[in-house]
Amino acid sequence: MSTVTTLTELRTIYGTPPADSVAVRCVLPHLDKHHRAFIALSPFVVIASSDAQGFSDVSPRGDLPGFVAAPDDHTLLLPDRPGNKKLETLSNILQNPHIALIFFVPGRNDSLRVNGRARITTDPALLSPLAVQGKSPRSALIVAVEQAWLHCGKAVIRSRLWDTGARAKPDALPTLGAMLADQVAGVDAAQTDARLEDANKNRLWGEAGS
């Protein structure tokens, strides 16, 4: 098996983009009007982080379009909605502030990528504008933008991501509860599916009783 171990080997295989190519020149050190418009339309972003040892995590974040705020060209505010309380992303950021984001807009093949440094805030003045249905997030990420660029749609086009004809059939996989029951001893599939359905219907933006 041939393993690539150096950048020189890698560049020999793929070559190097010209310094004046659009792919190189479109990477900006700040947000511009098009980036901010894209973020305002985006209901879904994926965030990559890693801890001090380099162990990585990729986590989805979704909400109503524009749930990530861009108060200026150098800053993003990303609310943390209720989840499983494992806190992988937030724990990583406490150890290593470097993060990467990729924003999607349903129906568009292009995406928006942002790299930067994040910190966690609980400032009520910042959290209050991020409230949904009267519920403010417990915390939010303040992201200092270091790089931002629009990314072409080849991956989305190849995957047919938005093509309804390419969707898997509902019974192509077992339910999430059934899969978890196979993986975790003592889990009841029906009870887990019922609990997940209740959480997805009634507790998207706030925990029960909160």
Side-chain angles (χ1 to χ4, degrees):
M1 181 176 67
S2 298
T3 302
V4 177
T5 59
T6 69
L7 181 58
T8 299
E9 291 178 273
L10 190 63
R11 285 301 179 189
T12 298
I13 298 169
Y14 287 98
T16 302
D20 63 348
S21 70
V22 173
V24 172
R25 294 168 58 200
C26 73
V27 180
L28 304 181
H30 57 80
L31 303 173
D32 74 354
K33 64 180 182 180
H34 300 297
H35 300 147
R36 296 180 72 175
F38 200 102
I39 292 166
L41 289 173
S42 175
F44 185 74
V45 61
V46 180
I47 178 170
S49 63
S50 60
D51 65 16
Q53 287 73 47
F55 290 101
S56 301
D57 177 74
V58 178
S59 181
R61 296 287 190 271
D63 210 326
L64 303 177
F67 73 101
V68 178
D72 57 58
D73 290 347
H74 300 276
T75 311
L76 294 175
L77 290 174
L78 198 164
D80 189 64
R81 304 298 184 201
N84 56 24
K85 299 186 180 180
K86 292 173 68 176
L87 306 180
E88 289 102 330
T89 301
L90 299 183
S91 297
N92 284 348
I93 286 167
L94 292 176
Q95 302 173 62
N96 177 0
H98 296 278
I99 65 167
L101 304 165
I102 181 165
F103 291 87
F104 296 92
V105 173
R108 287 195 66 101
N109 293 326
D110 47 359
S111 55
L112 171 66
R113 296 172 62 174
V114 177
N115 293 337
R117 293 175 180 246
R119 56 192 172 94
I120 303 167
T121 182
T122 58
D123 184 345
L126 295 176
L127 299 183
S128 180
L130 304 175
V132 175
Q133 295 185 358
K135 296 181 182 295
S136 294
R138 293 187 177 185
S139 70
L141 295 180
I142 302 176
V143 181
V145 175
E146 296 177 335
Q147 294 179 313
W149 69 101
L150 293 164
H151 192 102
C152 74
K154 290 187 181 71
V156 172
I157 294 169
R158 290 178 182 135
S159 67
R160 300 173 65 194
L161 184 62
W162 309 126
D163 186 345
T164 56
R167 291 180 180 176
K169 295 180 179 179
D171 59 354
L173 290 170
T175 66
L176 179 54
M179 290 190 286
L180 291 173
D182 284 343
Q183 296 171 337
V184 183
V187 170
D188 181 277
Q191 290 179 359
T192 301
D193 281 328
R195 185 169 67 251
L196 290 168
E197 183 177 3
D198 175 68
N200 290 340
K201 285 183 177 179
N202 303 314
R203 288 178 281 141
L204 288 177
W205 292 284
E207 296 179 286
S210 64

